[in-house]
């Protein structure tokens, strides 16, 4: 069984569609092994997205991720990492396939509703960033 990290970003939390997004996961064979709502600090967001530190949009990305609370979850299931990425759709919601979370709930490439780990190695790192062992069950 694989585990991956999902973040419902501030835009989707503000739109009150947390339940609708979590339902996409549960309805598509993923189990919620952990979940919580968190207000990230600037230091949290900079550390989480450190891989993007050199990208031109890094400052905007950090500001956006701390603009309101997020809902972080550990999703578990067969091929959980790739399945979550499929359910999310393309980074730019304008390019996201119909029926994906970003096509249905996101506005722009910055406010794109969800994050999902992009490899199993990163999934393990990102899960540890947010959750202790006893919170995952
Ligand atoms: P995420 O990591 O959030 O799941 P992703 O893996 O689809 O998204 P990445 O390439 O890892 O996309 O980019 C991380 C985030 O940075 C994107 O979700 C998006 O919010 C933002 N981003 C990516 N490219 C751009 C861009 N060209 N302009 C502005 N923001 C961008
Ligand atoms: Mg990414």
């Amino acid at each position: 069984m694989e585990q991956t990290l999902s973040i419902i970003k501030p835009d989707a939390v503000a739109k009150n569609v947390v339940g609708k997004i979590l339902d996409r996961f549960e309805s598509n064979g993923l189990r919620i092994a952990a979940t919580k709502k968190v207000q990230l600090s600037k230091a949290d967001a900079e550390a989480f997205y450190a891989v993007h530190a050199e990208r031109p949009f890094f400052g905007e990305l950090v500001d956006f991720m701390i603009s309101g609370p997020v809902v972080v979850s550990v999703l578990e299931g067969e091929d959980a990492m790739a399945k979550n990425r499929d359910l999310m759709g393309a980074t730019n919601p304008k390019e996201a396939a119909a029926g994906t979370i970003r096509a249905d709930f996101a506005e722009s490439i910055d406010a794109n509703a969800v994050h999902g780990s992009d490899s199993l190695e990163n999934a393990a790192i990102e899960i540890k960033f947010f959750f202790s062992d006893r919170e995952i069950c």
Side-chain angles (χ1 to χ4, degrees):
M1 262 323 157
E2 267 182 34
Q3 290 183 337
T4 192
L5 185 89
S6 161
I7 305 179
I8 302 178
K9 294 186 179 184
D11 57 320
V13 174
K15 276 187 184 166
N16 216 22
V17 293
V18 171
K20 285 183 177 155
I21 292 175
L22 292 178
D23 178 61
R24 297 285 174 103
F25 303 138
E26 292 189 321
S27 297
N28 287 279
L30 295 174
R31 195 178 73 79
I32 297 166
T35 194
K36 61 186 173 187
K37 194 175 193 181
V38 185
Q39 171 64 56
L40 298 179
S41 68
K42 191 158 194 250
D44 290 331
E46 285 173 349
F48 184 78
Y49 275 121
V51 289
H52 296 310
E54 305 306 320
R55 311 271 287 268
F57 56 82
F58 182 66
E60 286 162 60
L61 175 59
V62 167
D63 286 346
F64 172 66
M65 291 301 288
I66 66 173
S67 66
V70 297
V71 173
V72 289
S73 304
V74 177
L75 305 179
E76 189 176 273
E78 212 172 297
D79 295 324
M81 189 279 291
K83 186 176 277 182
N84 180 42
R85 298 286 300 186
D86 285 347
L87 293 172
M88 287 163 57
T91 307
N92 184 347
K94 291 181 178 68
E95 292 162 11
T100 60
I101 293 168
R102 282 168 167 162
D104 291 344
F105 300 112
E107 305 302 329
S108 66
I109 195 161
D110 328 80
N112 64 359
V114 280
H115 162 85
S117 307
D118 61 7
S119 68
L120 281 183
E121 189 189 358
N122 285 339
I125 294 167
E126 293 179 357
I127 289 168
K128 271 205 163 49
F129 185 90
F130 282 109
F131 292 99
S132 65
D133 286 348
R134 71 153 72 85
E135 291 178 297
I136 303 169
C137 44

